[in-house]
Amino acid sequence: MGYLLPLPWLRARAMGHPQAGVDYPSNWHELLAWFPDDAACLRYLERLRWSDGFVCRFCGVIDGGWWQKADGLRRCKACRHDTSVTAGTILVDDLRDAIQAVVGQDLQVVVAIT
């Protein structure tokens, strides 16, 4: 079962004001709850990357149809190329470890400063 975004998330995003705990986790415990595995991370990234519809990075067709091949992987119906939600990003391998490493690094910096 994945994390479902509440209605305030839609309002906040439409207004352009992301809110901690609604658009993104506000603390370490929420981060772990929202993203227990790579599949949850991929679903979240799909909502961010393709919120206005799937865009093929090969042919540029916007919401021209696609097949879900796996979590985070779609095949364009127009050109039949596979596109990953992480393609062209730093989040290529283990998403949960990457997110924890980034957040953990930030927390270490904050602790070192205070």
Side-chain angles (χ1 to χ4, degrees), residues 47-69:
R47 285 192 294 269
L48 294 178
R49 185 166 190 172
W50 297 317
S51 61
D52 295 328
F54 172 72
V55 177
C56 178
R57 68 185 186 106
F58 293 98
C59 69
V61 169
I62 300 171
D63 214 17
W66 48 271
W67 293 285
Q68 184 81 28
K69 303 245 338 188

Side-chain angles (χ1 to χ4, degrees), residues 42 45 49-50 54-58 72-74 82-93 95:
L42 289 169
L45 290 174
R49 185 166 190 172
W50 297 317
F54 172 72
V55 177
C56 178
R57 68 185 186 106
F58 293 98
L73 184 64
R74 295 181 179 182
D82 293 340
T83 301
S84 169
V85 71
T86 60
T89 72
I90 62 169
L91 304 173
V92 178
D93 296 320
L95 297 176

